[in-house]
Amino acid sequence: MDSRGCGILLPVFSLPSPYGIGTLGKEAFAFIDFLERGRQKYWQILPVGPTSYGDSPYQSYSIYAGNPYFIDLDLLAEEGLLKEEELPQKEPSEKIDYEKLYLTRYGILKCAFKRFDRKDKQFLAFLKQEEEWIEDYALFMSLKDANEGKSWNLWENPYRDRTKEGLASAGKEFQEEILFWEFLQYKFFQQWKAVKKYANEKGIKIIGDIPIYVAYDSVDVWAAPQYYELDEEKNPVNVAGCPPDGFSATGQLWGNPLYNWEFMKKEDYAWWVRRLRSATTMYDIVRIDHFRGFESYFAIPFGSETAAEGTWRKGPGMELFHAVEKQLGKKELIAEDLGYLTPQVEKLLKDSGYPGMKLLQFAFDSREAGNYLPHHYVKNSVVYIGTHDNDTALGWVDALTYRDVKAMLAYLNLDNDRDIVWKLIRIAMGTVCNTAIFMMQDLLELGSEARINTPSTLGKNWRWRMKEEVLSETLADKLAELVRMYERC
């Protein structure tokens, strides 16, 4: 990301589709065509793993697997794996109904699996290529189904503790179920590679996103508990989160288990090397969420009701990234370094050489710590108006205090806030930052109804869908003109 460029942040789940959630089908290709016409260099997405409780892409059952909901059903029908009458009723909707998907989608996918040739050479080659993780994942999901979706720590032995006898027994008992979950991953990655190839051929790079932490109820913790801070009963000792701030008096209690950094260090951070090898193979560029956690992280005693009881601890720092670069070479990474940054975090970012993130919303919101005013920006950074954790630009402006709006207009030398979203887009385009990324909702000038996530809340997040008809040539051409104007070609 050394030269000036720009792109759009749109989660896969937000793509239009007739079956309730965005997929890797024709609408993904249509969006890439829109990016090309708008002279965009990047498509940034959110994590694409299978989601667990709360439907958050940052809480996944696996750091390696893909979300089966993203498998395009029409493509399966074209392969002859589904019949037309087996497809769900077409119901384009603006919000994702995850409960409905959970209750209906897997039954349809099982119809496709029944017609699939299990001896397919490409399928067998895929299983060999991904053997490092896929067998454990498929067994984990099979056992989860057999245990009515319960978290792995509530399973009975021998499955809970993965005894040798238990694994052998499960492999035989759930052979068909294991093949089904492996089939889903084969189809996901087959479709994913086609989408990425199409984007790359058009000069567009895909920016992926990986959470710093893994979910406790995941195959990653179940299969390798030694990498996490767990007690003898395999319960977390401390969990992750953020301390209280201007937005939350009690902080954010994420609940993810913390890493056993001492153990990881003894293995020369091999766990992280494997994870980043996979991510940098899957994506062209990787954004690492909560980068500051590598310098110091917030540890909250397990069982705490809020994050107010937590304490800060030192992270692995550059030692980790030296180990990664030594084994993988230099990779294109983006550091999510938002929030209050200590001098030590700033030094880690500088030493790593990775671009950090700048948010215009943070620049003009008096509740935010740190200085995000554009005159402080540097080339090696990525500028946004806001991200998936923020309100849309329009919703944010509507919620600002009169004093904050007045200060913003004075700084930007504007008389009023009419057409403010596109004025902010121009400001971001014109910054010195090498890269500018815009939420699709902001390009469409949508309000708070299109917000993707409100941190520390459950039930209404990760549901926004884009309408098919909004990807107009007029909008793409408007973007392309700004790209030319601000030399982001």
Side-chain angles (χ1 to χ4, degrees):
M1 308 177 81
D2 296 330
S3 60
R4 287 174 68 79
C6 57
I8 298 175
L9 197 167
L10 180 71
V12 173
F13 61 73
S14 292
L15 286 165
S17 85
Y19 304 127
I21 193 169
T23 69
L24 300 170
K26 67 176 185 177
E27 298 303 338
F29 292 86
F31 182 65
I32 292 168
D33 290 339
F34 173 82
L35 291 171
E36 181 187 32
R37 186 178 180 105
R39 303 186 69 173
Q40 302 298 292
K41 286 186 178 180
Y42 308 108
W43 177 11
Q44 182 173 335
I45 60 176
L46 299 186
V48 295
T51 54
S52 57
Y53 176 72
D55 310 310
S56 169
Y58 294 88
Q59 297 282 349
S60 176
Y61 290 132
S62 167
I63 59 174
Y64 297 110
N67 193 333
Y69 293 157
F70 297 163
I71 297 171
D72 188 76
L73 301 181
D74 287 333
L75 290 178
L76 294 183
E78 289 177 13
E79 292 181 57
L81 295 178
L82 286 176
K83 295 180 179 180
E84 187 173 345
E85 60 268 23
E86 293 170 337
L87 295 171
Q89 184 177 353
K90 293 186 177 182
E91 296 180 1
S93 60
E94 294 183 31
K95 298 291 182 181
I96 299 168
D97 185 339
Y98 284 102
E99 182 180 12
K100 183 177 180 180
L101 283 171
Y102 178 76
L103 294 173
T104 62
R105 187 55 52 93
Y106 289 108
I108 297 169
L109 292 170
K110 284 180 179 177
C111 290
F113 173 60
K114 289 177 182 177
R115 298 188 181 95
F116 179 68
D117 179 9
R118 291 96 180 282
K119 296 181 180 179
D120 181 283
K121 290 183 179 179
Q122 291 182 329
F123 173 58
L124 297 177
F126 169 78
L127 296 183
K128 180 66 177 176
Q129 179 180 325
E130 307 298 334
E131 63 183 351
E132 189 173 68
W133 64 271
I134 197 166
E135 292 180 10
D136 276 332
Y137 168 74
L139 177 57
F140 176 84
M141 296 306 296
S142 300
L143 288 170
K144 178 168 277 293
D145 273 358
N147 284 274
E148 301 177 329
K150 292 178 183 176
S151 178
W152 64 265
N153 61 308
L154 300 177
W155 300 348
E156 294 184 0
N157 272 325
Y159 301 138
R160 181 188 185 277
D161 291 333
R162 288 174 55 88
T163 65
K164 185 176 180 180
E165 296 78 10
L167 291 177
S169 172
K172 293 178 181 179
E173 182 179 355
F174 299 103
Q175 185 176 13
E176 188 72 2
E177 290 84 354
I178 290 169
L179 274 172
F180 170 65
W181 289 104
E182 291 174 337
F183 160 76
L184 294 184
Q185 290 307 300
Y186 172 61
K187 283 301 169 187
F188 171 89
F189 281 100
Q190 187 181 57
Q191 293 185 5
W192 168 260
K193 288 177 181 178
V195 169
K196 183 176 182 295
K197 181 174 183 288
Y198 189 73
N200 291 166
E201 287 173 347
K202 291 181 175 290
I204 296 164
K205 291 185 176 182
I206 294 181
I207 302 175
D209 191 333
I210 63 171
I212 184 173
Y213 295 117
V214 305
Y216 177 66
D217 186 21
S218 67
V219 62
D220 310 296
V221 178
W222 176 67
Q226 68 272 22
Y227 291 113
Y228 309 93
E229 209 177 283
L230 308 178
D231 62 21
E232 292 182 357
E233 298 298 318
K234 297 184 181 178
N235 294 312
V237 177
N238 293 284
V239 295
C242 280
D245 57 21
F247 287 91
S248 175
T250 57
Q252 296 180 32
L253 181 59
W254 301 337
N256 308 72
L258 297 175
Y259 293 115
N260 184 340
W261 285 117
E262 289 186 11
F263 184 86
M264 287 186 166
K265 181 178 180 178
K266 291 177 182 178
E267 291 193 343
D268 200 18
Y269 302 103
W271 187 95
W272 275 98
V273 171
R274 291 192 297 270
R275 187 179 187 188
L276 287 172
R277 179 187 290 117
S278 173
T280 54
T281 299
M282 186 171 183
Y283 311 114
D284 299 297
I285 301 165
V286 175
R287 171 192 178 274
I288 303 180
D289 192 51
H290 198 60
F291 184 81
R292 70 144 301 133
F294 295 108
E295 191 284 321
S296 56
Y297 58 95
F298 205 58
I300 306 163
F302 179 63
S304 299
E305 293 186 3
T306 73
E309 302 175 41
T311 56
W312 286 103
R313 293 181 179 176
K314 292 297 291 182
M318 276 306 299
E319 189 176 72
L320 165 64
F321 297 105
H322 285 317
V324 169
E325 185 171 345
K326 179 182 177 182
Q327 297 177 68
L328 298 183
K330 194 72 174 177
K331 298 295 183 180
E332 284 198 273
L333 304 176
I334 296 172
E336 187 275 286
D337 61 336
L338 302 175
Y340 176 68
L341 304 183
T342 64
Q344 292 85 353
V345 177
E346 292 175 342
K347 184 178 186 303
L348 176 63
L349 181 65
K350 182 179 179 181
D351 291 345
S352 73
Y354 305 142
M357 294 172 56
K358 310 296 181 185
L359 263 62
L360 289 181
Q361 287 194 22
F362 285 5
F364 305 113
D365 194 324
S366 58
R367 296 175 299 174
E368 275 297 334
N371 196 334
Y372 286 89
L373 289 169
H375 64 264
H376 289 291
Y377 293 176
V378 296
K379 286 185 177 181
N380 188 34
S381 57
V382 185
V383 62
Y384 301 76
I385 297 174
T387 73
H388 64 278
D389 279 336
N390 302 102
D391 204 343
T392 65
L394 192 60
W396 167 72
V397 171
D398 287 344
L400 281 179
T401 65
Y402 172 77
R403 187 175 180 177
D404 282 347
V405 172
K406 187 177 179 180
M408 177 177 66
L409 295 178
Y411 181 92
L412 300 178
N413 194 28
L414 299 174
D415 294 328
N416 55 66
D417 62 357
R418 288 196 300 271
D419 198 26
I420 188 63
V421 176
W422 278 92
K423 288 174 180 175
L424 289 169
I425 290 170
R426 283 175 172 266
I427 294 297
M429 281 278 197
T431 63
V432 69
C433 302
N434 280 340
T435 307
I437 302 290
F438 303 99
M439 296 288 294
M440 190 67 208
Q441 298 97 307
D442 291 342
L443 299 177
L444 299 173
E445 298 181 84
L446 299 177
S448 298
E449 74 281 355
R451 182 169 184 165
I452 288 181
N453 179 50
T454 302
S456 299
T457 66
L458 283 173
K460 296 182 179 180
N461 299 319
W462 322 109
R463 297 175 63 201
W464 178 73
R465 304 279 314 286
M466 181 174 66
K467 295 180 180 179
E468 182 176 359
E469 61 271 19
V470 301
L471 293 180
S472 67
E473 293 183 356
T474 301
L475 179 58
D477 292 343
K478 186 176 182 179
L479 270 176
E481 180 57 33
L482 290 181
V483 169
R484 283 188 287 268
M485 184 182 299
Y486 291 103
E487 299 178 316
R488 290 195 174 273
C489 301

